[in-house]
Amino acid sequence: KRKRKLKMEKYEELKSLVISMGEDVVKFYEKGNKAAGVRLRKGLQDIKALSQEIRLEVSNKNKTKES
């Protein structure tokens, strides 16, 4: 159960990252704030990395089920 919880924590972290970027999205697109754009790109890079981790875990889990 602990491993499952860890994987769900990664999913929750991913959701939190997306939600936390909302303010910077508005600042960048609606107000033209360049610093918000930098934070937005950083957040998107973090999302990409975490998504890749989750994707690999899902792929590995599927492979072990097939064996």
Side-chain angles (χ1 to χ4, degrees):
K1 268 191 166 180
R2 180 69 183 139
K3 276 192 165 192
R4 182 175 179 200
K5 184 167 178 88
L6 287 175
K7 288 171 179 54
M8 290 302 296
E9 286 173 4
K10 283 187 179 183
Y11 173 71
E12 292 300 324
E13 183 181 350
L14 183 61
K15 285 192 334 185
S16 293
L17 275 171
V18 171
I19 291 167
S20 70
M21 292 176 16
E23 191 174 319
D24 285 328
V25 169
V26 171
K27 285 181 181 179
F28 178 71
Y29 284 109
E30 293 182 4
K31 299 177 182 174
N33 184 317
K34 290 181 182 182
V38 171
R39 291 189 299 271
L40 189 56
R41 286 196 318 271
K42 163 90 170 74
L44 290 168
Q45 191 64 34
D46 292 344
I47 287 171
K48 179 182 174 186
L50 186 55
S51 295
Q52 183 64 21
E53 283 180 36
I54 295 170
R55 183 180 170 277
L56 289 173
E57 287 177 358
V58 169
S59 182
N60 288 336
K61 185 172 177 99
N62 282 336
K63 284 179 185 177
T64 58
K65 282 185 176 181
E66 291 174 4
S67 300

